[in-house]
């Protein structure tokens, strides 16, 4: 979505895809501009609008006055794309391609004022396409044990005597029990002396 070089730089800066997926969009937006951020915070100046994302072709296409807005929008889409790449059962490029089109539409919107589609509607279209191609597992299907091909996984059998309700619960020690235990230890030590 943002290009191979910029994506690789973001992954390197974050450490891994797992770490990058945990970052909020605001952190992804200024990733690589930490010095400028802390300098601005200390001096009370303006914080940076973009870090490594500045290398993205979308920011280069934007008007100078709109670069901050596109940077924020692009960071939002990057955060979503990272989470999808990390946590999808069957990774696909369909979401990233559609998000790329959304960013291009946003550039047109900022330049001319053309209305853009809502993110909810666009993602629903992608999910519907993936469902029709049997490439998407809904959370309900996943809980039921269905796989990508529609076959059911072997259900883990739990014996009747090991159900959740019948498992013995560990008893937490209260503060009073702990204090009593300490007193007993002290009394034993004093008796030995």
């Amino acid at each position: 979505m943002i290009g191979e070089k910029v994506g690789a730089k973001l992954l390197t800066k974050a450490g891994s895809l797992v770490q990058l997926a945990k970052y909020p969009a605001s952190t992804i937006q200024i990733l690589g501009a930490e010095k400028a951020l802390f300098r601005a915070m200390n001096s009370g100046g303006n914080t940076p609008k973009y870090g490594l994302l500045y290398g993205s072709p979308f920011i280069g296409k934007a008007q100078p006055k709109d670069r901050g807005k596109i940077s924020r929008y692009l960071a939002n889409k990057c955060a979503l794309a990272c989470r999808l790449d990390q946590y999808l059962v069957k990774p696909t490029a369909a979401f990233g391609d559609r998000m790329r089109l959304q960013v291009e539409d946003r550039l047109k919107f900022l330049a001319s004022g053309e209305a853009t589609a809502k993110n909810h509607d666009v993602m629903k279209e992608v999910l519907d396409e993936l469902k029709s191609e049997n490439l998407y597992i809904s959370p309900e299907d996943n809980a039921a044990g269905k796989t990508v091909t529609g076959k059911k996984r072997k259900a883990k059998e739990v014996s009747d005597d090991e159900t959740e309700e019948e498992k013995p619960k560990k008893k937490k020690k209260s503060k009073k029990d702990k204090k009593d235990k300490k007193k007993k230890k002290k009394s034993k030590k004093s008796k030995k002396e």
Side-chain angles (χ1 to χ4, degrees), residues 35 37-38 115 128 149-150 193:
K35 279 186 180 179
L37 175 68
F38 294 126
D128 291 340
T149 59
E193 294 174 355

Side-chain angles (χ1 to χ4, degrees), residues 55-108:
S56 172
F58 295 116
I59 293 179
K61 291 178 188 176
Q63 297 292 326
K65 65 176 184 170
D66 295 330
R67 286 186 177 162
K69 294 176 186 176
I70 279 296
S71 175
R72 188 170 49 251
Y73 192 78
L74 186 60
N76 182 10
K77 296 301 172 190
C78 285
L80 289 173
C82 289
R83 291 170 190 156
L84 287 169
D85 286 345
Q86 176 61 32
Y87 298 112
L88 274 179
V89 175
K90 178 130 178 147
T92 179
F95 290 104
D97 293 339
R98 198 59 64 92
M99 286 184 204
R100 184 178 186 87
L101 291 174
Q102 278 186 294
V103 176
E104 289 172 0
D105 290 345
R106 185 66 171 196
L107 277 171
K108 291 176 188 172

